[in-house]
Structures are given as structure tokens and as C-alpha cells.
């Protein structure tokens, strides 16, 4: 894709201090989009990486489990960089346990961060996008928005939910320049997945490499991780003119996982 196709646009990527969110933010910045980062942990490193790409960068530390924080972040976006043209709902957490043992507090947190936060950002971003008649809402769901896996009830419920929210948002804006689509990755090697690899290695008393082979072999026919950069390129494609009439899809990038 040619350079700087998103110059003049502002992209807000939730949960973009690490992993997939940071990867997507970097690819959008390479295309010239100004970036609003969000998330916890190291802020200065990600800010410097984006800034080095020659775009404006701002950061808001909203806790995506809190509606009031999200409202403050959307106001901050409008006043700092002039409104959100591209919204990437990416913040997410995981917890692994069987339904009967699932901690209630973890269920509530996963539904709040992985699903309800996208409702809040979307409802607050839409008026500006509708006014300018251009907008891209990209929901980072998961292959778990399409199929289930044992031990991941809250995550699978939230991800199926965000695929539903994607379809309804797309339909309600179908005659406008605002599109909404979901990306459904399989395994991506980020801190969220490394925790699951570490748990597998510890439980089975095997090395990191053996745990990685097992993890991929169980679900992902390509036996390869998808990369944050590949996901960023798909997000960029949704933002391109070729994406004008892509509406309400849940596009998996999962090495064949959901094809089985
Ligand atoms: P990650 O743990 O590397 O990053 C998660 C980001 O969300 C971080 O920036 C973190 O600070 C932020 N975050 C967490 N809780 C937050 C909160 N309450 N408020 C604000 N920010 C918060 O994880 P990742 O693997 O990059 O996951 C990103 C998204 O991609 C998630 O929605 C996840 O479900 C999805 N996903 C990941 C994979 C994978 O294999 N890694 C696969 C499919 C989908």
C-alpha cells in the first residue's frame, strides 16, 4: 500500500501500549494518521515510537472498564486532535477457568473491557463520524468471536458480542461513509498469549518452545502466529477507498483455525 494514505486522519486505538494495539497504531501512523494511544504500563516508549513516524501522538490513560473514563478520553480526543476518524477497539484481557470456577469479578471485568468499552467508544465516536460522513470503526474481536474454546467462557461471550455489535453498527450506518468491521485473529504472540504459553509450560513441565508448538498445533493449521503488523495492514485496508463498501464483516486472520 502506498505511503501516507491516512494523512490528516486521527486514529484512536484502545489498549495500544503493547501487543496488537501498538502494532496497529504503528502501521496506521506509517500511513500518516495521527494517533491517540491508550492503555497501561510504559507510555513513553510507545509514544516515542509513534512520534518517530512523523505524526502527532497523544495519550489518554482511560480505564476501559469505566464509562466515565471513556467519556473523558473521547472529549480529550476531540479537543486534542480534532475528533476521531478511525476508532480501533482493541483493549482486551483474558482469564482461563471452567464456567463453574470462573471468578465473578473476572467475568465482569472481561465483559466490561472486551465488550462494553466498545459500545461506549462507538456511541461517542459516531456523531463526529456521521457529521463528517467518513469514519472507520474496527473492532479487534478474535477467532473466539466465531468459535468457542473450553475454559474461555467470558472471553468467547465478549468476542461473540463484539461481532454482533459490529454488525448492528455497520447496518445503522450502511448508507453513510462510516463503516464498521471486525478483525478476528487467531494466535498472536503478545503478552496476553505469552501468559498462556507460560502456564502450559509450567503445568506440563515443558520448555517454552515445546509449549508454543503445542499451543499452535492444537488450533492453528498454519502453525504460525499472526503478527500485529499483518493485523495493522488489514486495518489499513479497511481504511482505504477499497474498504468503502465492506460493512459488518468479521474477517478472520487465523491461519485456518475457523476453517476446520
Ligand atoms: P496485550 O495484553 O499485549 O495488550 C492489551 C492492551 O490492553 C495493553 O495495552 C493493556 O494496557 C490494555 N488494557 C488492558 N486492560 C485495560 C483497561 N482496563 N483499560 C485500558 N487498557 C487496558 O494483549 P493483545 O494480545 O495485544 O490483545 C489485544 C486485543 O487483541 C484484545 O482484545 C485481545 O482479545 C485480542 N486478540 C488477541 C489475540 C492474541 O493471540 N494475542 C488473538 C485474538 C484477539
Amino acid at each position: 500500500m502506498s505511503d501516507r494514505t491516512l494523512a490528516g486522519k486521527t486514529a484512536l486505538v484502545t489498549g495500544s501500549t503493547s501487543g496488537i494495539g501498538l502494532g496497529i497504531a504503528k502501521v496506521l501512523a506509517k500511513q500518516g494518521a495521527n494517533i491517540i494511544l491508550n492503555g497501561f504500563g510504559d507510555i513513553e516508549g510507545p509514544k516515542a515510537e509513534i512520534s518517530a513516524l512523523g505524526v502527532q501522538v497523544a495519550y489518554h490513560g482511560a480505564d476501559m472498564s469505566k464509562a466515565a473514563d471513556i467519556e473523558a478520553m473521547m472529549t480529550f480526543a476531540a479537543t486534542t486532535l480534532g475528533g476521531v476518524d478511525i476508532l480501533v477497539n482493541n483493549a482486551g484481557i483474558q482469564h482461563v477457568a471452567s464456567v463453574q470456577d470462573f471468578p465473578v469479578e473476572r467475568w465482569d471485568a472481561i465483559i466490561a473491557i472486551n465488550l462494553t468499552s466498545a459500545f461506549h467508544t462507538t456511541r461517542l465516536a459516531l456523531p463526529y463520524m456521521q457529521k463528517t460522513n467518513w469514519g472507520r470503526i474496527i473492532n479487534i474481536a478474535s477467532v473466539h468471536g466465531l468459535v468457542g474454546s473450553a475454559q474461555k467462557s467470558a472471553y468467547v461471550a465478549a468476542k461473540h458480542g463484539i461481532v454482533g455489535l459490529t454488525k448492528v453498527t455497520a447496518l445503522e450506518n450502511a448508507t453513510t461513509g462510516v463503516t464498521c468491521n471486525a478483525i478476528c485473529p487467531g494466535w498472536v504472540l503478545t503478552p496476553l498469549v505469552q501468559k498462556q504459553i507460560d502456564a502450559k509450560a509450567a503445568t506440563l513441565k515443558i520448555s517454552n518452545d515445546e509449549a508454543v508448538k503445542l499451543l499452535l498445533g492444537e488450533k492453528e493449521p498454519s502453525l504460525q502466529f499472526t503478527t500485529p503488523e499483518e493485523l495493522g495492514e488489514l486495518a489499513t485496508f479497511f481504511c482505504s477507498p477499497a474498504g468503502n463498501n465492506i460493512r459488518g464483516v468479521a474477517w478472520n486472520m487465523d491461519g485456518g483455525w475457523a476453517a476446520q
Side-chain angles (χ1 to χ4, degrees):
M1 227 171 264
S2 66
D3 277 347
R4 314 306 270 188
T5 53
L6 299 176
K9 305 285 188 204
T10 293
L12 166 62
V13 186
T14 70
S16 46
T17 48
S18 81
I20 293 171
L22 180 57
I24 291 176
K26 282 199 253 181
V27 178
L28 295 176
K30 277 185 194 150
Q31 294 296 332
N34 296 322
I35 303 290
I36 298 168
L37 295 169
N38 157 260
F40 302 145
D42 174 35
I43 314 302
E44 293 312 317
K47 266 176 98 172
E49 284 184 62
I50 301 285
S51 185
L53 297 167
V55 298
Q56 293 182 65
V57 57
Y59 166 80
H60 194 281
D63 179 339
M64 298 304 289
S65 68
K66 299 193 170 116
D69 277 26
I70 297 170
E71 283 170 13
M73 179 175 69
M74 298 309 283
T75 304
F76 167 84
T79 50
T80 311
L81 288 175
V84 175
D85 304 292
I86 300 165
L87 169 64
V88 182
N89 287 310
N90 167 79
I93 58 169
Q94 175 64 284
H95 186 83
V96 179
S98 52
V99 175
Q100 67 275 18
D101 298 326
F102 214 90
V104 171
E105 164 277 322
R106 286 290 83 197
W107 172 279
D108 289 343
I110 289 175
I111 299 297
I113 296 166
N114 296 21
L115 175 58
T116 309
S117 73
F119 159 66
H120 291 304
T121 52
T122 299
R123 74 180 169 80
L124 295 163
L126 274 172
Y128 174 80
M129 292 179 176
Q130 288 163 345
K131 196 173 77 187
T132 59
N133 200 32
W134 195 91
R136 294 287 184 268
I137 300 172
I138 299 167
N139 292 326
I140 307 306
S142 164
V143 69
H144 286 118
L146 306 171
V147 298
S149 286
Q151 307 285 315
K152 294 187 175 174
S153 54
Y155 189 86
V156 170
K159 295 300 187 181
H160 275 68
I162 205 166
V163 168
L165 174 66
T166 301
K167 291 176 183 172
V168 174
T169 305
L171 289 175
E172 288 181 6
N173 293 279
T175 59
T176 77
V178 181
T179 72
C180 179
N181 294 291
I183 297 178
C184 299
W187 291 123
V188 186
L189 190 53
T190 65
L192 180 142
V193 165
Q194 188 59 50
K195 278 186 211 151
Q196 295 173 60
I197 294 168
D198 292 345
K200 203 177 265 298
T203 311
L204 301 175
K205 298 191 173 40
I206 54 176
S207 70
N208 181 77
D209 286 359
E210 287 166 323
V212 165
K213 274 194 198 132
L214 266 183
L215 183 101
L216 289 171
E218 280 164 9
K219 301 277 188 183
E220 191 141 336
S222 67
L223 303 178
Q224 282 176 45
F225 290 108
T226 299
T227 66
E229 293 68 33
E230 288 163 349
L231 296 166
E233 292 295 343
L234 181 54
T236 303
F237 175 66
F238 285 155
C239 295
S240 75
N244 281 347
N245 208 24
I246 303 177
R247 296 175 188 271
V249 305
W251 188 318
N252 37 323
M253 214 184 218
D254 63 357
W257 183 326
Q260 296 167 101

